[in-house]
Amino acid sequence: MKKTSLYDEHLNLGAKIINFGKWQMPVQYSGIIEEHKAVRNAAGLFDASHMGEVLISGQDALNLVQRLITNDASQMKVGKVIYSPMCYEDGGIVDDLLVYKLEDGQYMMVINASNTTKDLRWINKNAELFENVDVVDKSGYYALIALQGPLSLQIISSIMDKDISDLKYYSFVNTKVNGIDAIVSRTGYTGELGFEIYLQKGKAASIWRMLLEAGNEKGLKPAGLGARDTLRLEKAMCLYGNDIDETTNPLEADLAWTVEFSKEDFNGKKELKKVKEAGIDRKLVGFVMSERGIPRHGYEIKVEGEVVGEVTSGSYSPSLDSNIGLAYIDKGYTSIGREIDISIRKRDVNAKIVEKPFI
Amino acid sequence: MSTPNDLYYTENHEWISLDGEEGVVGITEHAQEELGDIVYVELPTIDEGLDQFEEFGVIESVKAVSDVFTPVSCVVTEINESLMDQPELINEDPYGDGWLIKVELKDKSELDELMDSTEYKSFLEGE
């Protein structure tokens, strides 16, 4: 099993460690609900070092990126970040990722930990189509610390010389954090004001400790994968492996805004165009339980006794104090306000389709 | 980790206490800590008859779904209604306010198959 460079910090903080893919990661410290509320009301500090970073550079870097992702990177300025699915030719999702434009002709893709091997194989295979492009896996170089929550700006500012209060959502700067070289981006997986800090592995523990200390009196708490999941679910952000995977396409996942059909050829364009023209068969929707019960990944959805879909993510929502979920539901049954049943341990439990995000 | 002396324990981390003919069943301190924040509880109906080690309910934390099993053959006489609105009582007081069901035992000799607190403690260390 792999450990991030912050592993000892987690142990010292009393974290409960779980196996997450190949990684040993903190699932919680003080408790998922407490950590969740800290992020919504103050701030939380996450170790996201298990994420993969892939550097794509050379004259053909943009061409490769454009072929790989469904979103359009051609209009990006240096210092910008975009979110995009990466698809196979059949329109199935290989992974969802962030693209950072580091320089002209140099991009960094941030990919899901559990997909790194598969993604690199796919990226390298596509790179063969271009003459001047280098693909380098930097996952072993970077640690990634995410500071998320309404007080995150105050906290990070106290250990940075540079003023980043003007940094826009989905933008980044190459800067120093307490004298250490870092990429700081205004991104995150919680839907709150927040920052992600990429820095050399060996320097991560000192910055982690410094941030915890700087935020201590403001209510900052270390937060684990458990809270990360409930926080992203309340904002209806997709989790690869739950809500999207190789058998789902971006259009049914309600990610049409990330598919730029007007750009030149990209992997999956042909198939996705067909889907768009024919209309999607099912759609990822959000729902709230009306009766007692917690929806979980894989539970069936029924309307009048007929199975019309399946839960992809579900949990207790600490912010709403109710039970919520995401599900693929067949077309014709996806309208807001529609009542559906979730099959929980052979019992049909009533729920209602609602607007996303949940909060 | 607290393991009170006057209780009997199962390998699945339930406990039962005995007061005359009546037993009270819950989950252990260790079990609630492993589960984390408990947010949902499903319990049987009163008068339901249960075999020893039969599943009688479900406890869900934010992350996990866990079945609970009766330590002994019994009939359910009471369920802890407060858990419907305050499932967190199990986290806060697993041996007290966080009890799950009260039961009438069918066969007290089944208690001999359970662990006492010393045995349960060493069982936990071996897990």
Side-chain angles (χ1 to χ4, degrees):
Chain A
M1 294 300 284
K2 291 184 179 182
K3 292 172 183 170
T4 76
S5 53
L6 298 170
Y7 183 78
D8 289 340
E9 304 299 313
H10 305 322
L11 292 187
N12 289 335
L13 289 163
K16 193 185 286 179
I17 304 288
I18 56 159
N19 294 339
F20 181 78
K22 290 181 191 144
W23 293 87
Q24 286 194 285
M25 298 296 290
V27 64
Q28 65 164 68
Y29 304 82
S30 52
I32 294 175
I33 295 174
E34 189 177 315
E35 293 161 27
H36 180 110
K37 289 184 174 168
V39 174
R40 290 277 183 251
N41 302 323
L45 195 64
F46 300 82
D47 178 10
S49 303
H50 58 312
M51 302 288 284
E53 291 85 10
V54 180
L55 207 62
I56 296 178
S57 44
Q59 268 176 18
D60 284 322
L62 176 61
N63 294 332
L64 174 59
V65 170
Q66 287 289 74
R67 181 171 183 90
L68 289 168
I69 67 172
T70 58
N71 208 337
D72 185 12
S74 69
Q75 304 304 311
M76 288 176 80
K77 296 198 172 80
V78 174
K80 281 296 185 188
V81 186
I82 57 170
Y83 169 83
S84 181
M86 171 164 77
C87 286
Y88 287 121
E89 294 289 359
D90 68 2
I93 303 173
V94 185
D95 202 356
D96 66 332
L97 48 82
L98 294 180
V99 179
Y100 286 65
K101 182 165 182 179
L102 301 179
E103 288 169 32
D104 282 326
Q106 194 176 66
Y107 297 83
M108 178 171 77
M109 280 186 172
V110 182
I111 58 181
N112 281 301
S114 46
N115 289 339
T116 45
T117 310
K118 171 184 85 169
D119 287 2
L120 276 162
R121 201 181 305 137
W122 181 243
I123 294 167
N124 279 315
K125 191 178 168 209
N126 278 275
E128 287 168 11
L129 304 167
F130 302 96
E131 273 179 24
N132 292 304
V133 70
D134 271 325
V135 176
V136 182
D137 178 12
K138 298 285 275 184
S139 309
Y141 176 83
Y142 284 114
L144 173 53
I145 297 173
L147 175 65
Q148 301 279 302
L151 301 187
S152 57
L153 177 61
Q154 274 184 41
I155 295 166
I156 196 171
S157 297
S158 69
I159 64 162
M160 283 182 73
D161 293 333
K162 191 179 168 67
D163 177 13
I164 56 162
S165 52
D166 288 339
L167 192 65
K168 295 224 165 45
Y169 193 44
Y170 273 72
S171 297
F172 72 90
V173 283
N174 260 303
T175 181
K176 284 187 193 300
V177 178
N178 193 49
I180 293 166
D181 287 327
I183 294 172
V184 175
S185 66
R186 229 199 99 188
T187 49
Y189 200 37
T190 63
E192 295 297 329
L193 171 66
F195 301 89
E196 293 184 301
I197 308 161
Y198 299 81
L199 70 179
Q200 199 195 319
K201 253 195 334 199
K203 313 277 188 187
S206 68
I207 296 298
W208 171 269
R209 275 183 226 156
M210 206 165 276
L211 285 168
L212 275 183
E213 198 180 315
N216 187 33
E217 283 180 6
K218 296 188 170 71
L220 171 72
K221 291 199 181 321
L225 292 182
R228 192 171 157 86
D229 192 40
T230 52
L231 288 157
R232 70 92 197 168
L233 180 59
E234 287 181 345
K235 297 290 182 178
M237 293 172 170
C238 286
L239 172 61
Y240 194 91
N242 271 43
D243 312 303
I244 50 174
D245 60 27
E246 292 165 15
T247 68
T248 63
N249 70 58
L251 302 178
E252 61 192 15
D254 217 4
L255 294 171
W257 61 277
T258 65
V259 183
E260 189 47 80
F261 283 108
S262 66
K263 73 176 191 176
E264 257 180 79
D265 199 26
F266 60 88
N267 292 328
K269 182 178 182 181
K270 216 167 117 189
E271 289 304 313
L272 291 173
K273 208 162 185 179
K274 278 190 216 162
V275 173
K276 193 188 176 190
E277 278 157 15
I280 50 175
D281 296 329
R282 55 177 189 172
K283 187 179 159 190
L284 191 67
V285 301
F287 64 89
V288 176
M289 299 303 297
S290 317
E291 297 179 308
R292 272 172 48 82
I294 303 179
R296 303 282 184 184
H297 179 81
Y299 287 4
E300 284 179 342
I301 309 262
K302 292 181 187 169
V303 169
E304 286 161 11
E306 293 282 305
V307 177
V308 298
E310 194 174 299
V311 176
T312 56
S313 289
S315 175
Y316 170 75
S317 156
S319 303
L320 295 170
D321 190 23
S322 59
N323 297 316
I324 62 172
L326 295 173
Y328 280 107
I329 297 187
D330 294 345
K331 68 174 176 190
Y333 301 96
T334 59
S335 56
I336 303 296
R338 174 178 273 281
E339 292 194 10
I340 53 176
D341 290 324
I342 317 298
S343 180
I344 302 180
R345 293 180 285 277
K346 295 177 187 159
R347 211 159 44 86
D348 288 347
V349 186
N350 201 245
K352 196 168 159 182
I353 298 176
V354 296
E355 298 271 9
K356 293 184 294 181
F358 298 93
I359 63 164
Chain B
M1 193 68 61
S2 149
T3 56
N5 281 328
D6 49 346
L7 306 180
Y8 302 89
Y9 298 88
T10 69
E11 293 186 354
N12 198 45
H13 311 289
E14 291 95 4
W15 56 264
I16 181 167
S17 69
L18 199 61
D19 182 13
E21 298 302 308
E22 188 181 65
V24 183
V25 177
I27 64 167
T28 66
E29 170 89 24
H30 171 81
Q32 70 78 19
E33 197 170 294
E34 282 296 301
L35 279 165
D37 293 333
I38 292 168
V39 291
Y40 177 81
V41 179
E42 224 169 74
L43 294 175
T45 47
I46 291 170
D47 291 337
E48 194 171 325
L50 296 163
D51 293 332
Q52 189 178 25
F53 305 130
E54 186 178 341
E55 180 200 322
F56 73 89
V58 176
I59 296 178
E60 296 193 38
S61 64
V62 177
K63 279 221 75 90
V65 182
S66 179
D67 293 329
V68 276
F69 303 88
T70 50
V72 292
S73 309
C74 59
V75 175
V76 180
T77 55
E78 198 179 331
I79 62 167
N80 188 352
E81 293 283 354
S82 358
L83 298 179
M84 300 299 119
D85 291 329
Q86 295 169 277
E88 66 275 13
L89 288 174
I90 302 172
N91 292 119
E92 289 160 8
D93 191 9
Y95 299 117
D97 291 342
W99 63 276
L100 300 175
I101 55 172
K102 291 187 180 169
V103 300
E104 193 186 301
L105 278 69
K106 288 182 185 162
D107 178 2
K108 275 194 195 168
S109 72
E110 286 175 349
L111 293 171
D112 300 339
E113 297 167 38
L114 306 176
M115 291 178 272
D116 64 20
S117 73
T118 317
E119 288 166 332
Y120 180 60
K121 223 175 261 172
S122 42
F123 174 73
L124 285 180
E125 278 159 17
E127 252 202 342

